[in-house]
Amino acid sequence: MAERKRLLYLMSSDPRVSPFDLNMAYDAGFDAVIPYAGVETSMVAGLVQDIMFSRGPKGARFSSIFFSGSDLSQGEAMLEAARRALFPPFSLGLMLDPRGGYTTAAALLAKVAALCRGRGLGAIGRLSVLVAAGTGGVGRTAAAMAARDGARVVLTSRRPEAAARAAREIAALFKVQVEPRAAPAEADLAAAAREADVILATGAAGAQLLSRQGVQSLRGPKVVADVNAVPPPGIEGIKPQDDGTEIAPGIFALGALAVGDLKFKAEASFLKDLLAAEPPPVIASNEARRRAEEILAAR
């Protein structure tokens, strides 16, 4: 019998599937990547069972599912629906990385934690973390991961209701508490940044949150990080390649490409696990954080 084709079903609740994840899946070695956009949670069980029954108990393992939509709550619900739909002797690899939010946040926190230790701030669990413009998937996940580590976390948005909504979702999904805070103007964000040990800029691409003047007003030691590679940076003065650069006295910076390199390696390693790891893995936020730490420690 010919060798089974290794298939990845890339399922998203969004109207389109991310080309980033499609490209990475092919580069990891999948023979075909099948995108499904606009998937609802109620559809997942039927899709899973069609995938596994069509390939039989021995062939099902050659199929995997990657849930990639931007809605964290829906992504978690879809992953749980897939897990419930599986039963012996059928097995599939499953992965949830909502628009890259889990692997990006995991890489961000792993890099930040290492830089904090290296610059004498100590363990991140003892620090105060500000997640600026944190209502997107990366911001919510980074806030949750920092809170899980024991940090005091403040999550900001220009709109108070958006910050409060993000905090509620974090509590529901990750069982940790973060403080929502409105920062409608840069002066409000700069004031919050002065209170924090770590500032994470997780806003929309091309949106500057903190000016150079705001950075210069900070008193170190502090770690600042920006996940936005699209100009202008979220924090003025951070370059995408910065990897611990001192951009102002006592202010140490991580840029988007320094974080992105670790995120890329984590996602690539997970895709290879979906291809071959036994037993078939189930990958979500906890696994992403552990993998980022392992890769960083092995350098």
Side-chain angles (χ1 to χ4, degrees):
M1 178 183 290
E3 183 179 351
R4 295 273 190 164
K5 297 295 185 183
R6 295 172 296 178
L7 308 179
L8 179 69
Y9 295 85
L10 192 54
M11 297 187 187
S12 175
S13 57
D14 296 340
R16 65 177 179 86
V17 170
S18 168
F20 186 103
D21 296 323
L22 284 164
N23 292 346
M24 289 202 66
Y26 274 114
D27 288 344
F30 282 94
D31 296 303
V33 184
I34 302 96
Y36 278 78
V39 176
E40 298 176 4
T41 304
S42 61
M43 301 163 57
V44 169
L47 289 168
V48 168
Q49 290 171 0
D50 277 352
I51 291 166
M52 69 189 196
F53 290 147
S54 65
R55 309 203 81 184
K58 293 183 179 180
R61 177 62 189 94
F62 292 88
S63 297
S64 298
I65 303 174
F66 183 156
F67 296 103
S68 66
S70 56
D71 186 314
L72 300 190
S73 294
Q74 188 166 0
E76 289 284 352
M78 291 166 72
L79 177 64
E80 182 57 28
R83 296 180 72 162
R84 290 198 306 267
L86 290 169
F87 53 86
F90 298 95
S91 60
L92 306 174
L94 303 174
M95 179 173 172
L96 171 62
D97 193 14
R99 293 286 293 177
Y102 286 178
T103 48
T104 301
L108 175 63
L109 263 293
K111 294 283 291 183
V112 164
L115 184 55
C116 286
R117 292 191 299 270
R119 292 297 183 176
L121 279 78
I124 198 167
R126 300 170 62 89
L127 303 177
S128 174
V129 176
L130 174 68
V131 183
T135 58
V138 174
R140 294 183 193 210
T141 308
M145 288 182 178
R148 277 179 171 172
D149 286 352
R152 174 180 173 266
V153 179
V154 174
L155 182 150
T156 74
S157 172
R158 288 189 173 91
R159 296 178 293 117
E161 65 275 13
R165 186 164 57 249
R168 288 194 298 271
E169 183 179 48
I170 289 166
L173 291 181
F174 302 108
K175 313 306 179 190
V176 292
Q177 301 297 317
V178 305
E179 177 190 337
R181 187 180 299 182
E186 184 188 346
D188 302 302
L189 186 61
R194 287 192 287 272
E195 298 173 6
D197 302 300
V198 175
I199 299 100
L200 310 179
T202 61
Q208 183 177 291
L209 305 174
L210 198 61
S211 68
R212 191 179 299 274
Q213 182 179 1
V215 173
Q216 294 289 342
S217 74
L218 303 178
R219 296 292 176 265
K222 293 184 190 291
V223 167
V224 295
D226 188 1
V227 297
N228 175 25
V230 178
I235 298 177
E236 189 175 12
I238 295 184
K239 297 181 177 64
Q241 301 87 353
D242 283 338
D243 195 356
T245 308
E246 190 172 13
I247 62 170
I251 309 301
F252 303 99
L254 289 168
L257 294 184
V259 173
D261 177 68
L262 182 55
K263 176 265 190 299
F264 181 91
K265 289 175 179 175
E267 182 173 344
S269 73
F270 283 139
L271 288 164
K272 291 184 183 298
D273 287 349
L274 290 179
L275 279 167
E278 293 295 345
V282 177
I283 300 159
S285 63
N286 286 339
E287 291 74 23
R289 181 64 190 281
R290 283 196 294 269
R291 183 62 54 87
E293 295 281 1
E294 290 166 1
I295 293 170
L296 197 58
R299 287 182 175 179

